[in-house]
Coordinates of all heavy atoms in Angstrom, one line a residue:
M1 N -6.3 12.2 -7.2 CA -5.1 11.9 -7.9 C -5.0 10.3 -7.8 O -5.5 9.7 -6.9 CB -3.9 12.5 -7.2 CG -3.6 12.0 -5.8 SD -2.1 12.8 -5.2 CE -2.1 12.2 -3.6
D2 N -4.3 9.8 -8.8 CA -4.1 8.3 -8.8 C -2.7 8.0 -8.4 O -1.7 8.7 -8.8 CB -4.3 7.8 -10.2 CG -5.8 7.8 -10.6 OD1 -6.7 7.8 -9.7 OD2 -6.1 7.9 -11.8
V3 N -2.6 6.9 -7.7 CA -1.3 6.3 -7.3 C -1.3 4.8 -7.8 O -2.3 4.2 -7.8 CB -0.9 6.4 -5.8 CG1 -0.7 7.9 -5.4 CG2 -1.9 5.7 -5.0
N4 N -0.1 4.3 -8.1 CA 0.0 2.9 -8.5 C 0.4 2.1 -7.3 O 1.3 2.5 -6.6 CB 1.1 2.8 -9.6 CG 0.9 3.6 -10.8 OD1 -0.2 3.5 -11.4 ND2 1.8 4.5 -11.1
V5 N -0.3 1.0 -7.0 CA -0.1 0.2 -5.9 C 0.4 -1.2 -6.4 O -0.2 -1.8 -7.3 CB -1.4 0.0 -5.0 CG1 -1.1 -0.8 -3.8 CG2 -2.0 1.4 -4.7
L6 N 1.4 -1.7 -5.8 CA 2.0 -3.0 -6.1 C 1.8 -3.8 -4.8 O 2.2 -3.4 -3.7 CB 3.5 -2.9 -6.4 CG 3.8 -2.0 -7.6 CD1 5.3 -2.0 -7.8 CD2 3.1 -2.4 -8.9
F7 N 1.2 -5.0 -5.0 CA 1.0 -6.0 -3.9 C 2.0 -7.1 -4.1 O 2.1 -7.7 -5.1 CB -0.4 -6.5 -4.0 CG -1.5 -5.4 -3.8 CD1 -2.0 -4.8 -4.9 CD2 -1.9 -5.0 -2.6 CE1 -3.0 -3.9 -4.8 CE2 -2.9 -4.1 -2.4 CZ -3.4 -3.5 -3.6
F8 N 2.6 -7.5 -3.0 CA 3.6 -8.6 -3.0 C 3.2 -9.6 -1.9 O 2.6 -9.3 -0.9 CB 5.0 -8.1 -2.7 CG 5.5 -7.3 -3.8 CD1 5.4 -5.9 -3.7 CD2 6.1 -7.8 -4.9 CE1 5.9 -5.1 -4.7 CE2 6.6 -7.0 -5.9 CZ 6.5 -5.7 -5.8
A9 N 3.5 -10.9 -2.2 CA 3.4 -12.0 -1.3 C 1.9 -12.1 -0.7 O 1.0 -12.1 -1.5 CB 4.4 -11.9 -0.1
R10 N 1.8 -12.1 0.6 CA 0.4 -12.3 1.2 C -0.5 -11.2 0.8 O -1.7 -11.4 0.7 CB 0.5 -12.4 2.7 CG -0.8 -12.7 3.4 CD -1.3 -14.1 3.1 NE -2.5 -14.4 3.9 CZ -3.5 -15.0 3.4 NH1 -3.5 -15.6 2.2 NH2 -4.6 -15.2 4.1
S11 N 0.0 -10.0 0.7 CA -0.9 -8.9 0.3 C -1.5 -9.1 -1.1 O -2.7 -8.7 -1.3 CB -0.2 -7.5 0.4 OG 0.8 -7.4 -0.6
R12 N -0.7 -9.7 -2.0 CA -1.2 -10.0 -3.3 C -2.4 -11.0 -3.2 O -3.4 -10.9 -3.9 CB -0.1 -10.5 -4.2 CG -0.6 -10.9 -5.6 CD 0.5 -11.5 -6.4 NE 1.6 -10.5 -6.6 CZ 2.2 -10.2 -7.7 NH1 1.8 -10.9 -8.8 NH2 3.1 -9.3 -7.8
E13 N -2.2 -12.1 -2.4 CA -3.2 -13.1 -2.2 C -4.5 -12.5 -1.7 O -5.6 -12.8 -2.1 CB -2.7 -14.2 -1.3 CG -1.5 -15.0 -1.9 CD -0.9 -15.9 -0.8 OE1 -1.4 -16.0 0.3 OE2 0.2 -16.4 -1.1
L14 N -4.3 -11.6 -0.7 CA -5.5 -11.1 0.0 C -6.2 -10.1 -0.9 O -7.5 -10.0 -0.9 CB -5.1 -10.4 1.3 CG -4.6 -11.3 2.4 CD1 -4.0 -10.5 3.6 CD2 -5.8 -12.2 2.9
A15 N -5.5 -9.3 -1.6 CA -6.1 -8.3 -2.5 C -6.7 -8.9 -3.8 O -7.6 -8.4 -4.4 CB -5.1 -7.2 -2.9
G16 N -6.1 -10.0 -4.2 CA -6.6 -10.7 -5.4 C -6.0 -10.1 -6.7 O -6.5 -10.4 -7.8
V17 N -5.1 -9.2 -6.5 CA -4.5 -8.5 -7.7 C -3.0 -8.3 -7.4 O -2.6 -8.2 -6.2 CB -5.1 -7.2 -8.1 CG1 -6.6 -7.3 -8.5 CG2 -5.1 -6.2 -6.9
G18 N -2.2 -8.1 -8.4 CA -0.8 -7.8 -8.3 C -0.5 -6.3 -8.3 O 0.5 -5.9 -7.7
D19 N -1.4 -5.6 -8.9 CA -1.2 -4.1 -8.9 C -2.6 -3.5 -9.2 O -3.5 -4.1 -9.6 CB -0.2 -3.7 -10.0 CG -0.6 -4.1 -11.4 OD1 -1.3 -3.3 -12.0 OD2 -0.3 -5.2 -11.8
A20 N -2.7 -2.2 -8.8 CA -3.9 -1.5 -9.0 C -3.7 0.0 -9.0 O -2.6 0.5 -8.5 CB -4.9 -1.8 -7.9
L21 N -4.6 0.8 -9.5 CA -4.6 2.2 -9.3 C -5.5 2.5 -8.2 O -6.6 2.0 -8.1 CB -5.1 2.9 -10.6 CG -4.2 3.1 -11.7 CD1 -4.9 3.7 -12.9 CD2 -3.0 3.9 -11.4
L22 N -5.1 3.4 -7.3 CA -5.9 3.8 -6.1 C -6.1 5.3 -6.2 O -5.1 6.1 -6.4 CB -5.2 3.4 -4.8 CG -6.1 3.5 -3.6 CD1 -7.3 2.5 -3.6 CD2 -5.2 3.1 -2.4
Q23 N -7.3 5.8 -6.1 CA -7.6 7.2 -6.2 C -7.6 7.8 -4.8 O -8.3 7.3 -3.9 CB -8.9 7.5 -6.9 CG -9.1 8.9 -7.3 CD -10.3 9.1 -8.3 OE1 -11.3 8.6 -8.0 NE2 -10.0 9.8 -9.3
L24 N -6.8 8.9 -4.6 CA -6.7 9.6 -3.3 C -7.0 11.1 -3.5 O -6.9 11.6 -4.6 CB -5.3 9.4 -2.8 CG -4.8 8.0 -2.5 CD1 -3.3 8.0 -2.2 CD2 -5.6 7.3 -1.4
S25 N -7.3 11.7 -2.4 CA -7.5 13.2 -2.5 C -6.2 13.8 -2.6 O -5.1 13.3 -2.2 CB -8.1 13.6 -1.1 OG -9.4 13.0 -1.0
A26 N -6.2 15.0 -3.3 CA -4.9 15.8 -3.4 C -4.4 16.1 -2.0 O -5.1 16.3 -1.1 CB -5.2 17.1 -4.1
G27 N -3.1 16.0 -1.9 CA -2.4 16.2 -0.6 C -2.5 15.1 0.4 O -2.1 15.2 1.5
A28 N -2.8 13.9 -0.1 CA -2.9 12.7 0.7 C -1.5 12.3 1.2 O -0.5 12.6 0.6 CB -3.5 11.5 -0.1
D29 N -1.5 11.6 2.3 CA -0.2 11.1 2.9 C -0.4 9.6 3.0 O -1.4 9.0 2.7 CB 0.2 11.8 4.2 CG -0.9 11.6 5.3 OD1 -1.7 10.6 5.2 OD2 -0.9 12.4 6.2
T30 N 0.7 8.9 3.5 CA 0.7 7.5 3.6 C -0.3 7.0 4.6 O -0.9 5.9 4.5 CB 2.1 6.9 3.9 OG1 2.7 7.6 5.0 CG2 3.0 7.1 2.7
A31 N -0.6 7.8 5.6 CA -1.6 7.3 6.6 C -3.0 7.3 6.0 O -3.7 6.3 6.1 CB -1.6 8.3 7.8
S32 N -3.4 8.3 5.2 CA -4.7 8.3 4.5 C -4.7 7.2 3.4 O -5.7 6.6 3.1 CB -5.1 9.7 4.0 OG -4.1 10.2 3.1
F33 N -3.5 7.0 2.8 CA -3.4 5.9 1.8 C -3.8 4.6 2.4 O -4.5 3.8 1.8 CB -2.0 5.9 1.2 CG -1.7 4.6 0.5 CD1 -2.1 4.4 -0.8 CD2 -1.0 3.6 1.1 CE1 -1.8 3.2 -1.5 CE2 -0.7 2.5 0.5 CZ -1.1 2.2 -0.8
I34 N -3.2 4.3 3.5 CA -3.4 3.0 4.2 C -4.9 2.8 4.5 O -5.5 1.8 4.3 CB -2.6 2.8 5.4 CG1 -1.1 2.7 5.0 CG2 -3.0 1.7 6.3 CD1 -0.1 2.7 6.1
E35 N -5.6 3.9 5.0 CA -7.0 3.8 5.3 C -7.8 3.5 4.1 O -8.8 2.7 4.1 CB -7.5 5.0 6.1 CG -6.9 5.1 7.5 CD -7.0 3.8 8.3 OE1 -8.1 3.2 8.3 OE2 -6.0 3.4 8.9
E36 N -7.5 4.2 3.0 CA -8.2 4.0 1.7 C -7.9 2.6 1.2 O -8.8 1.9 0.7 CB -7.8 5.0 0.7 CG -8.5 4.9 -0.6 CD -10.0 5.1 -0.5 OE1 -10.5 5.7 0.4 OE2 -10.7 4.6 -1.5
L37 N -6.7 2.1 1.4 CA -6.4 0.7 1.0 C -7.3 -0.3 1.7 O -7.8 -1.2 1.1 CB -4.9 0.5 1.3 CG -4.3 -0.8 0.7 CD1 -4.1 -0.7 -0.8 CD2 -2.9 -0.9 1.4
Y38 N -7.4 -0.1 3.0 CA -8.3 -1.1 3.8 C -9.8 -0.9 3.4 O -10.5 -1.9 3.4 CB -8.2 -0.8 5.3 CG -6.8 -1.2 5.9 CD1 -6.2 -0.4 6.7 CD2 -6.3 -2.4 5.5 CE1 -5.0 -0.7 7.3 CE2 -5.0 -2.8 6.1 CZ -4.4 -1.9 6.9 OH -3.2 -2.3 7.5
R39 N -10.2 0.3 3.0 CA -11.5 0.5 2.5 C -11.8 -0.3 1.2 O -12.8 -1.0 1.1 CB -11.9 2.0 2.4 CG -13.4 2.2 2.1 CD -13.6 3.6 1.7 NE -13.1 3.9 0.3 CZ -13.6 3.4 -0.8 NH1 -14.6 2.6 -0.8 NH2 -13.0 3.8 -2.0
K40 N -10.8 -0.2 0.3 CA -11.0 -0.8 -1.0 C -10.7 -2.3 -0.9 O -11.3 -3.1 -1.7 CB -10.1 -0.2 -2.0 CG -10.3 -0.7 -3.4 CD -9.7 0.2 -4.5 CE -10.0 -0.4 -5.8 NZ -9.5 0.5 -6.9
Y41 N -9.8 -2.7 -0.1 CA -9.4 -4.1 0.1 C -9.5 -4.6 1.5 O -8.5 -4.7 2.2 CB -8.0 -4.3 -0.4 CG -7.8 -4.0 -1.9 CD1 -7.2 -2.7 -2.2 CD2 -8.2 -4.8 -2.9 CE1 -7.1 -2.4 -3.6 CE2 -8.0 -4.5 -4.2 CZ -7.4 -3.2 -4.6 OH -7.3 -2.9 -5.9
P42 N -10.7 -4.7 2.0 CA -10.9 -5.1 3.5 C -10.2 -6.3 3.9 O -9.8 -6.5 5.1 CB -12.4 -5.2 3.6 CG -13.0 -5.2 2.3 CD -12.0 -4.7 1.3
S43 N -9.9 -7.2 3.0 CA -9.2 -8.5 3.4 C -7.8 -8.2 3.9 O -7.2 -9.0 4.6 CB -9.2 -9.5 2.2 OG -8.6 -8.9 1.1
L44 N -7.2 -7.0 3.5 CA -5.9 -6.7 4.0 C -5.8 -6.4 5.5 O -4.7 -6.3 6.0 CB -5.4 -5.5 3.2 CG -5.1 -5.7 1.7 CD1 -4.7 -4.4 1.0 CD2 -4.0 -6.8 1.5
E45 N -7.0 -6.3 6.1 CA -7.0 -6.1 7.6 C -6.2 -7.2 8.3 O -5.7 -7.1 9.3 CB -8.5 -6.1 8.1 CG -9.2 -4.8 7.8 CD -8.8 -3.6 8.7 OE1 -8.0 -3.8 9.7 OE2 -9.2 -2.5 8.4
E46 N -6.2 -8.4 7.6 CA -5.5 -9.6 8.2 C -4.0 -9.3 8.5 O -3.5 -9.8 9.4 CB -5.6 -10.7 7.2 CG -4.9 -12.0 7.7 CD -5.0 -13.1 6.7 OE1 -6.2 -13.5 6.3 OE2 -4.0 -13.7 6.4
I47 N -3.4 -8.4 7.7 CA -2.0 -8.1 7.8 C -1.8 -6.6 8.3 O -0.7 -6.1 8.2 CB -1.2 -8.4 6.5 CG1 -1.7 -7.5 5.4 CG2 -1.2 -9.8 6.2 CD1 -0.9 -7.6 4.1
R48 N -2.8 -6.0 8.9 CA -2.7 -4.6 9.4 C -1.5 -4.5 10.3 O -1.4 -5.3 11.2 CB -4.0 -4.2 10.1 CG -3.9 -2.7 10.6 CD -5.1 -2.3 11.4 NE -6.2 -1.9 10.5 CZ -6.4 -0.6 10.1 NH1 -5.5 0.3 10.4 NH2 -7.4 -0.3 9.3
G49 N -0.7 -3.5 10.1 CA 0.5 -3.3 10.9 C 1.6 -4.3 10.7 O 2.6 -4.2 11.4
A50 N 1.5 -5.2 9.8 CA 2.5 -6.2 9.6 C 3.1 -6.2 8.2 O 3.5 -7.2 7.6 CB 1.9 -7.6 9.8
F51 N 3.2 -5.0 7.6 CA 3.8 -4.8 6.3 C 4.6 -3.5 6.2 O 4.3 -2.6 7.0 CB 2.8 -4.9 5.2 CG 1.7 -3.9 5.2 CD1 1.9 -2.6 4.7 CD2 0.5 -4.2 5.8 CE1 0.9 -1.7 4.7 CE2 -0.6 -3.3 5.8 CZ -0.4 -2.0 5.3
A52 N 5.5 -3.5 5.3 CA 6.3 -2.2 5.0 C 5.7 -1.6 3.8 O 5.1 -2.2 2.9 CB 7.7 -2.6 4.8
L53 N 5.9 -0.3 3.7 CA 5.6 0.5 2.5 C 6.9 0.9 1.8 O 7.8 1.3 2.5 CB 4.7 1.7 2.8 CG 3.3 1.6 3.3 CD1 2.7 2.9 3.5 CD2 2.5 0.8 2.3
A54 N 6.9 0.8 0.5 CA 7.9 1.5 -0.3 C 7.3 2.5 -1.2 O 6.4 2.1 -1.9 CB 8.7 0.4 -1.0
V55 N 7.7 3.7 -1.1 CA 7.2 4.7 -2.0 C 8.3 5.1 -3.0 O 9.4 5.5 -2.7 CB 6.8 6.0 -1.2 CG1 6.3 7.1 -2.1 CG2 5.8 5.7 -0.1
N56 N 7.9 4.8 -4.3 CA 8.9 5.1 -5.4 C 10.2 4.3 -5.2 O 11.3 4.9 -5.3 CB 9.1 6.5 -5.6 CG 7.8 7.2 -6.1 OD1 7.0 6.7 -6.8 ND2 7.6 8.5 -5.6
Q57 N 10.0 3.1 -4.7 CA 11.1 2.1 -4.5 C 12.0 2.5 -3.4 O 13.2 2.0 -3.3 CB 12.0 1.9 -5.8 CG 11.1 1.4 -7.0 CD 11.9 1.2 -8.2 OE1 13.1 1.4 -8.3 NE2 11.2 0.9 -9.3
E58 N 11.5 3.3 -2.4 CA 12.3 3.6 -1.2 C 11.4 3.2 0.0 O 10.3 3.7 0.1 CB 12.7 5.1 -1.1 CG 13.7 5.4 -2.2 CD 14.3 6.8 -2.0 OE1 14.3 7.3 -0.8 OE2 14.7 7.4 -3.0
Y59 N 12.0 2.3 0.9 CA 11.3 1.9 2.0 C 10.9 3.1 2.9 O 11.8 4.0 3.1 CB 12.0 0.9 2.9 CG 11.9 -0.5 2.4 CD1 12.9 -1.0 1.5 CD2 10.8 -1.3 2.7 CE1 12.8 -2.3 1.1 CE2 10.7 -2.6 2.2 CZ 11.7 -3.1 1.4 OH 11.5 -4.4 1.0
L60 N 9.8 3.1 3.5 CA 9.3 4.2 4.4 C 9.6 3.6 5.8 O 9.0 2.5 6.1 CB 7.9 4.5 4.2 CG 7.3 5.7 5.0 CD1 7.9 7.0 4.5 CD2 5.8 5.7 4.8
P61 N 10.4 4.3 6.7 CA 10.6 3.8 8.0 C 9.2 3.6 8.8 O 8.3 4.4 8.6 CB 11.4 4.8 8.7 CG 12.1 5.5 7.5 CD 11.1 5.5 6.4
A62 N 9.2 2.5 9.6 CA 7.9 2.2 10.3 C 7.5 3.5 11.1 O 8.3 4.1 11.8 CB 8.2 1.1 11.3
G63 N 6.2 3.8 11.1 CA 5.7 4.9 11.8 C 5.8 6.2 11.2 O 5.2 7.2 11.6
E64 N 6.6 6.3 10.1 CA 6.8 7.6 9.4 C 5.7 7.8 8.4 O 5.2 6.9 7.8 CB 8.2 7.6 8.7 CG 8.5 9.0 8.1 CD 9.9 9.0 7.5 OE1 10.9 8.6 8.2 OE2 10.1 9.4 6.3
V65 N 5.3 9.1 8.3 CA 4.2 9.4 7.4 C 4.8 10.3 6.3 O 5.6 11.3 6.6 CB 3.1 10.2 8.1 CG1 2.0 10.6 7.1 CG2 2.4 9.3 9.1
A66 N 4.5 10.0 5.0 CA 5.1 10.8 3.9 C 3.9 11.3 3.0 O 2.9 10.6 2.9 CB 6.0 9.9 3.1
T67 N 4.2 12.4 2.4 CA 3.2 13.0 1.5 C 3.3 12.2 0.2 O 4.4 11.8 -0.2 CB 3.5 14.5 1.2 OG1 3.5 15.2 2.4 CG2 2.5 15.1 0.2
I68 N 2.1 12.0 -0.5 CA 2.0 11.2 -1.7 C 1.7 12.2 -2.8 O 0.9 13.1 -2.6 CB 1.0 10.1 -1.6 CG1 1.4 9.1 -0.5 CG2 0.8 9.4 -2.9 CD1 0.3 8.1 -0.2
K69 N 2.3 12.0 -4.0 CA 2.0 12.8 -5.2 C 1.4 11.9 -6.2 O 1.5 10.7 -6.2 CB 3.3 13.4 -5.7 CG 4.1 14.3 -4.7 CD 5.3 14.8 -5.3 CE 6.4 13.9 -5.7 NZ 6.9 12.9 -4.7
A70 N 0.6 12.5 -7.1 CA 0.0 11.8 -8.2 C 1.1 11.0 -9.0 O 2.2 11.6 -9.3 CB -0.7 12.8 -9.2
G71 N 0.7 9.8 -9.3 CA 1.6 9.0 -10.1 C 2.7 8.2 -9.3 O 3.4 7.4 -9.8
D72 N 2.7 8.5 -8.0 CA 3.6 7.7 -7.1 C 3.3 6.2 -7.2 O 2.2 5.8 -7.4 CB 3.6 8.2 -5.7 CG 4.4 9.4 -5.4 OD1 5.1 9.9 -6.3 OD2 4.3 9.9 -4.3
E73 N 4.4 5.4 -7.0 CA 4.2 4.0 -6.9 C 4.4 3.6 -5.4 O 5.5 3.9 -4.8 CB 5.3 3.3 -7.8 CG 5.3 1.8 -7.7 CD 6.5 1.2 -8.5 OE1 7.5 1.1 -7.9 OE2 6.3 0.9 -9.7
I74 N 3.5 2.9 -4.9 CA 3.5 2.4 -3.5 C 3.4 0.9 -3.5 O 2.5 0.3 -4.0 CB 2.4 3.1 -2.7 CG1 2.5 4.6 -2.8 CG2 2.5 2.6 -1.2 CD1 1.3 5.3 -2.1
A75 N 4.4 0.3 -2.9 CA 4.5 -1.2 -2.8 C 4.1 -1.6 -1.4 O 4.5 -1.0 -0.4 CB 5.9 -1.7 -3.1
I76 N 3.3 -2.6 -1.3 CA 2.8 -3.2 0.0 C 3.7 -4.5 0.2 O 3.5 -5.4 -0.6 CB 1.3 -3.6 0.0 CG1 0.5 -2.4 -0.5 CG2 0.9 -4.1 1.3 CD1 0.6 -1.2 0.3
I77 N 4.6 -4.5 1.2 CA 5.5 -5.6 1.3 C 5.3 -6.2 2.7 O 5.8 -5.7 3.7 CB 7.0 -5.1 1.1 CG1 7.1 -4.3 -0.2 CG2 7.9 -6.2 1.2 CD1 8.3 -3.6 -0.4
P78 N 4.6 -7.4 2.7 CA 4.4 -8.0 4.0 C 5.7 -8.8 4.4 O 6.6 -8.9 3.6 CB 3.3 -9.0 3.8 CG 3.2 -9.1 2.3 CD 3.9 -8.0 1.7
P79 N 5.8 -9.2 5.7 CA 7.0 -10.0 6.1 C 7.1 -11.3 5.2 O 6.1 -11.9 4.9 CB 6.7 -10.3 7.5 CG 5.4 -9.8 7.9 CD 4.8 -9.1 6.7
I80 N 8.3 -11.6 5.0 CA 8.6 -12.8 4.2 C 9.5 -13.7 5.0 O 10.5 -13.3 5.6 CB 9.3 -12.4 2.8 CG1 8.4 -11.5 2.0 CG2 9.7 -13.7 2.0 CD1 9.0 -10.9 0.8
S81 N 9.2 -15.0 5.0 CA 10.0 -15.9 5.7 C 10.4 -17.0 4.8 O 9.9 -17.2 3.7 CB 9.3 -16.5 6.9 OG 8.2 -17.3 6.5
G82 N 11.4 -17.7 5.1 CA 11.9 -18.8 4.3 C 13.3 -19.2 4.7 O 13.8 -18.8 5.7
G83 N 13.8 -20.1 4.0 CA 15.1 -20.6 4.4 C 15.9 -21.1 3.3 O 15.6 -21.1 2.2

């Protein structure tokens, strides 16, 4: 199944793209999504554990695992600083 991935801030720089389709096995969850993400975009290892996920525009609480469905949109949101 395909999911839409949106990359923001540092994750966009590291991945080299703003969005992508990622193919996952049926019944995948956010834990397996993250591992596939690192496989396809190894440069994201730099921010491992330092970003939030939003699935279909809803933040996923840290440490929580959610089931992913075909066509879901998953945003990679690293910490943002500024003033």
Side-chain angles (χ1 to χ4, degrees):
M1 71 175 171
D2 290 336
V3 295
N4 302 306
V5 185
L6 304 177
F7 298 93
F8 293 95
R10 184 70 178 141
S11 68
R12 179 185 296 229
E13 295 169 8
L14 292 170
V17 295
D19 60 89
L21 281 177
L22 193 63
Q23 194 167 49
L24 302 172
S25 300
D29 59 25
T30 50
S32 58
F33 162 80
I34 289 171
E35 292 311 312
E36 181 61 20
L37 190 69
Y38 291 134
R39 190 192 66 70
K40 186 166 183 178
Y41 301 99
S43 58
L44 291 175
E45 286 284 350
E46 179 182 309
I47 59 171
R48 182 183 275 271
F51 59 83
L53 290 181
V55 179
N56 298 323
Q57 301 181 7
E58 291 191 26
Y59 277 98
L60 187 66
E64 187 174 309
V65 176
T67 301
I68 297 173
K69 300 180 297 304
D72 278 355
E73 177 185 85
I74 304 174
I76 311 301
I77 307 169
I80 299 171
S81 65

